[in-house]
Every structure is written in C-alpha cells, then in structure tokens.
C-alpha cells in the first residue's frame, strides 16, 4: 500500500533546482526535505517514500532506500535508473516527459538561428570591440532560413514543436520517427530511421530531439557526417551519446560540415581538454535547453498528479516507466 499523505515523506534531490521551495507554497500537508549533494542524498535517502531526482541518482542507493516506493524523475530521460532493480523492489518510476517541450524546442530553434545569423561570432567580436566590415565572400556571410531543409531525428513532442517553429521560418521539414505512420503532421514528410542515410544529403540542418535508445545511440556517426552537406549544421538537443563525439570532432577538423550547436555532450560537464571548446564554428550551451523559470512548477504538476493516482490505488502513472 502507498502511504497516505500525512505519513508520506518526499526527498527533493537536485544540485540547483528550487523544488522543495516551490513545493511548500502548495500546502499539501506532505512532509518533505531537500538535498543538494551526493553525500547528503546518500545519507538521507532512507527517510524518503518518494524521491524527486535526476542527476544525483545512483543505482547503488537502492540498498539504503528501504522506504522508497516511487521515483519521479526531474527530466524526460530515465536511462540512469536500473528498471530491473526497481521492478524487483516494487518501486515505481515516472519520467517528466513533456515538461520541457516548449523550452527545448525553442532552444533548438534559437541554436539554428544563432548558427545561421552567426550570433556567436558577433558576441565574440563585441567582447573584442571589433566592428566587422562587410564581406565580399558570400559563403562567409550570415544566411537566411527560408527554403532550406531541416531534418529532425525524433518527432515526439519536442521534435514536433520544433517542426512547427521551423515551418514559421519557411523551412522544409523532414521528420524521422520510430513509427512514421503516426503523429507526423507538423513535418512535410515523415520517415523511419532506416531512411536516415538517404535523407542526410538533403538537409541543411540536422537536429536531434530523440530519446537515447539502442537505436539512437551514436545515430550520427562518421558515416552520417560523410553523407551530410558540407554547408550543413548539426544541432543536438537530445543526449550526448546520440552523436559519436570523436566522429564529430573529426568532421569539424576536416571541415566536412559547416559547424554544430550542442546542448549535450557524452561526458558532462564537457572536459576542459575537449577540442569542442575551441572550434569557432561550434556553439555550446551547458545542457540548459530545458531549463526555464517555470521548470520546477512543471515538474511538481506531474509529481502531484502521480501522487494522487498512487493514493487512489491506480496502477497507471503519468509518464510511467516502471
């Protein structure tokens, strides 16, 4: 049986998000506490019936979590959780899928615009007090989006909204989806992943908004880069492991593509020695695509819906994983 609200304890575990601070004004009468560090989380997880967590999670914490009955992931991704162990221990898991559809799609569109309009270069010149002159070489100028082609890998909530935004800028949108027969209305055409190789040469921008799965791990690899247009850009707002990072570095070094904008990398934080820091045609944001001023409240809305379902004895959760 799931504990009643007056006997429930929630642990909010995140290094920065103000989850408990935004939870308390809801006056739910549910006891809660927050932790900010791995050590504090490990020390106190045994007090919690519910954990709201993402990056601080480690599967070895389960041995300390005797009371734990439900994990609400703070993010859409849940690959850090051992589903087999959770199932064996009777611990439910739900993702926060959909919590950042607007934020990530807008961020991806912003990256596309920044690459096209060379905003990173303009900011660098501003810092150096350089007023760049007019450019004779047309290939080196800022560009326009109208009439270009955007290939979106992952046409779920985020990818579909990105498609809508892109269409407003006059882009032709090609979508790649696990099941191309459903939910592809926002794109001009929708295909399965098997068609990726033939679609890559058509794209001026390749945007990743897919979950990390066995099929999407390193879906953009050396072969994919060899098929992309030389003036094409890669935009990754999915997971770092969806791109073969060594292949990306090689493609940039060999000028096989025009550049990249990446919100995620294979190892986060990006190591100081990574060559990605030093490419002038690479724009890096530190996994902030989904982070907005409303993020905590959006997560808490999903949490409260799932807590109410559990309290009613329902077996189905919103964004249920386990």
């Amino acid at each position: 049986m799931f504990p009643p609200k007056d006997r429930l304890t929630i642990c909010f575990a995140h290094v920065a998000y103000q989850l408990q601070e935004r939870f308390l004004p809801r006056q739910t009468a549910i006891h809660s506490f927050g932790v900010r560090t791995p050590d504090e989380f490990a020390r106190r997880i045994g007090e919690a019936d519910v954990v709201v967590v993402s990056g601080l999670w480690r599967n070895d914490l389960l041995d300390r979590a005797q009371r734990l009955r439900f994990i609400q992931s703070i993010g859409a991704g849940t690959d850090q959780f051992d589903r087999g162990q959770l199932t064996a221990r009777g611990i439910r898991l739900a993702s926060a899928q959909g919590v950042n559809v607007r934020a990530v799609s807008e961020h991806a569109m912003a990256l596309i615009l920044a690459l096209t309009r060379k905003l990173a270069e303009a900011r660098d010149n501003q810092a150096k007090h350089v007023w760049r002159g007019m450019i004779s070489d047309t290939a080196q100028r800022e560009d326009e989006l109208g009439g270009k082609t955007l290939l979106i890998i992952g046409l779920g909530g985020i990818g579909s909204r990105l498609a809508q935004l892109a269409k407003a800028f006059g882009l032709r949108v090609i979508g790649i989806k696990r099941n191309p027969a459903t939910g592809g209305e926002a794109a001009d055409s929708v295909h399965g992943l098997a068609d990726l190789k033939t679609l890559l040469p058509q794209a001026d921008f390749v945007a990743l908004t897919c979950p990390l799965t066995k099929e999407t791990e390193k879906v953009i690899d050396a072969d994919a880069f060899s098929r992309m247009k030389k003036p094409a850009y890669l935009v990754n707002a999915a997971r770092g492991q969806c791109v073969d990072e060594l292949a990306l570095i090689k493609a940039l070094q060999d000028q096989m593509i025009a550049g990249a904008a990446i919100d995620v990398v294979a190892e986060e934080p990006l190591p100081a020695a990574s060559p990605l820091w030093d490419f002038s045609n690479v724009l890096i944001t530190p996994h902030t695509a989904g982070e907005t001023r409303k993020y905590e409240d959006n997560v808490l809305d999903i949490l409260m819906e799932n807590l109410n379902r559990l309290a009613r004895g329902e077996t189905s959760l919103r964004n249920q994983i386990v």
Side-chain angles (χ1 to χ4, degrees):
M1 291 289 294
F2 196 73
K5 287 185 178 181
D6 59 353
R7 292 170 51 196
L8 195 65
T9 298
I10 302 175
C11 171
F12 295 101
H14 197 279
V15 297
Y17 287 172
Q18 304 298 306
L19 289 158
Q20 191 196 22
E21 291 82 353
R22 297 303 308 142
F23 179 72
L24 292 175
R26 296 187 177 221
Q27 298 181 336
T28 63
I30 300 174
H31 178 65
S32 66
F33 65 93
V35 296
R36 297 288 186 192
T37 67
D39 288 345
E40 188 180 14
F41 187 33
R43 187 170 65 252
R44 299 198 63 184
I45 191 172
E47 305 171 34
D49 304 289
V50 174
V51 168
V52 184
V53 65
S54 58
L56 287 179
W57 179 259
R58 301 193 317 269
N59 289 303
D60 59 11
L61 292 171
L62 287 170
D63 290 334
R64 300 170 177 245
Q66 291 80 12
R67 290 175 53 176
L68 187 59
R69 292 293 174 267
F70 173 53
I71 300 172
Q72 175 65 64
S73 174
I74 295 171
T78 57
D79 44 283
Q80 69 270 47
F81 300 99
D82 187 321
R83 300 181 189 187
Q85 286 197 57
L86 295 180
T87 300
R89 295 170 187 252
I91 299 171
R92 307 296 303 278
L93 169 66
S95 79
Q97 182 181 358
V99 72
N100 54 12
V101 164
R102 296 182 65 87
V104 178
S105 59
E106 290 169 8
H107 193 89
M109 193 68 228
L111 293 177
I112 291 170
L113 286 164
L115 290 169
T116 306
R117 302 305 306 171
K118 296 184 179 291
L119 296 185
E121 177 185 323
R123 184 69 178 186
D124 291 344
N125 285 338
Q126 179 183 340
K128 295 181 289 187
H129 297 195
V130 171
W131 185 277
R132 194 202 74 189
M134 301 182 82
I135 297 176
S136 297
D137 184 354
T138 57
Q140 298 304 313
R141 294 179 190 170
E142 291 83 353
D143 207 349
E144 301 176 19
L145 289 178
K148 294 190 182 299
T149 296
L150 168 64
L151 174 62
I152 301 175
I153 302 173
L155 207 61
I158 294 170
S160 293
R161 187 160 187 271
L162 174 58
Q164 293 171 349
L165 295 173
K167 294 290 287 180
F169 284 91
L171 282 154
R172 169 180 172 242
V173 178
I174 303 172
I176 288 183
K177 200 171 186 290
R178 181 179 299 171
N179 182 2
T182 62
E185 296 82 4
D188 293 292
S189 64
V190 185
H191 306 261
L193 191 57
D195 294 332
L196 177 62
K197 291 182 178 181
T198 60
L199 295 171
L200 282 168
Q202 302 180 38
D204 299 290
F205 300 91
V206 177
L208 292 158
T209 56
C210 54
L212 177 63
T213 65
K214 290 180 180 179
E215 292 76 24
T216 61
E217 185 174 2
K218 295 186 178 179
V219 67
I220 299 298
D221 55 11
D223 180 71
F225 286 118
S226 73
R227 296 173 186 272
M228 289 174 63
K229 294 180 181 180
K230 189 170 182 179
Y233 291 96
L234 176 73
V235 175
N236 189 3
R239 287 290 184 267
Q241 294 88 344
C242 292
V243 175
D244 184 331
E245 205 160 278
L246 293 178
L248 170 61
I249 292 168
K250 183 74 163 54
L252 292 164
Q253 289 171 337
D254 294 348
Q255 299 181 354
M256 297 172 64
I257 60 173
I262 51 178
D263 184 60
V264 288
V265 290
E267 180 185 348
E268 297 182 1
L270 182 64
S274 172
L276 290 172
W277 289 113
D278 300 315
F279 289 105
S280 61
N281 58 343
V282 173
L283 178 58
I284 300 171
T285 54
H287 205 151
T288 53
E291 189 172 288
T292 71
R293 299 175 189 183
K294 295 179 63 176
Y295 193 90
E296 285 91 338
D297 286 319
N298 293 341
V299 171
L300 292 174
D301 288 344
I302 297 174
L303 169 68
M304 290 309 303
E305 180 176 339
N306 280 329
L307 290 181
N308 289 333
R309 291 189 187 193
L310 288 166
R312 293 192 295 264
E314 297 182 21
T315 57
S316 176
L317 299 176
R318 179 176 171 182
N319 300 334
Q320 178 177 315
I321 305 298
V322 174

